[in-house]
Amino acid sequence: MKKKGLFFAVLLLSLTTATVTACDSTSSTQENTSTPKSGVLSSKSTSTTLTNSLSEEEDKPSHYIASGGATVQQPFSINPEFLHIKLLMKNNSRHEVNVSLTHLETSKVYFARTIAVGESLDWININQGFTQGMRTGGYLLQWSGGGYNVDGEVWGTAGSDPDDTAPLFY
């Protein structure tokens, strides 16, 4: 069942990336159209391999840079032992951005919010009514600049206990 879910998550991500890339290349409202549009979040670390799950160490959150195009996506998974998550998203763009979190297997949207220029969003599952934790499986964190390039950052951790979800600081 895990392989089937992973296959569909990868297939969905591939189709979405292809669609975004096709739409992104034809848009006439893009800023700085000479820069490449990666379409995925890149890791702040020196490694070129993206992490597939959130950090499970509260003092060492995962950190990703969201930039490269009008839509930027980061897939990740939640393990059964670590159902409580916190995300801190910061908009460094010159325009507001829309950010959403979707569970891939059910298409459930956990949030869809707008982050103003220079502002941040601190999202913790227990503070948003998900006191029993999050569903296991694949998720997609998506940033959209509404036709403008996204420039943001996200820090995230997962914990086994609701007390593991104190706010993150950057």
Side-chain angles (χ1 to χ4, degrees):
M1 187 64 180
K2 275 188 166 183
K3 288 182 182 180
K4 187 177 180 182
L6 180 61
F7 171 77
F8 284 112
V10 170
L11 179 62
L12 177 63
L13 178 62
S14 298
L15 291 172
T16 303
T17 302
T19 302
V20 168
T21 303
C23 292
D24 205 23
S25 65
T26 60
S27 175
S28 61
T29 60
Q30 290 296 318
E31 286 182 18
N32 198 5
T33 56
S34 63
T35 58
K37 293 165 182 56
S38 65
V40 296
L41 293 174
S42 60
S43 175
K44 183 77 171 179
S45 70
T46 56
S47 171
T48 57
T49 304
L50 292 177
T51 305
N52 194 10
S53 62
L54 294 178
S55 171
E56 294 158 3
E57 297 178 53
E58 187 171 2
D59 60 340
K60 294 181 183 179
S62 299
H63 181 210
Y64 300 99
I65 303 297
S67 67
T71 302
V72 180
Q73 301 177 333
Q74 173 60 53
F76 65 90
S77 62
I78 294 181
N79 299 322
E81 309 88 51
F82 301 96
L83 298 176
H84 297 283
I85 68 167
K86 56 187 167 182
L87 301 170
L88 176 61
M89 296 148 282
K90 183 176 182 202
N91 179 9
N92 298 322
S93 303
R94 292 182 287 166
H95 303 277
E96 67 181 20
V97 295
N98 298 307
V99 182
S100 64
L101 179 65
T102 305
H103 185 251
L104 292 172
E105 287 83 11
T106 63
S107 298
K108 177 177 177 55
V109 177
Y110 278 84
F111 69 83
R113 305 262 175 84
T114 300
I115 306 174
V117 176
E119 296 294 319
S120 60
L121 171 63
D122 191 10
W123 194 89
I124 302 173
N125 69 283
I126 61 169
N127 294 348
Q128 302 301 319
F130 305 103
T131 56
Q132 300 300 312
M134 304 291 285
R135 297 171 193 252
T136 60
Y139 285 82
L140 185 66
L141 181 65
Q142 180 168 296
W143 298 63
S144 175
Y148 297 99
N149 287 343
V150 170
D151 180 13
E153 297 177 79
V154 61
W155 292 262
T157 61
S160 59
D161 189 285
D163 294 334
D164 294 339
T165 54
L168 293 169
F169 299 97
Y170 55 88

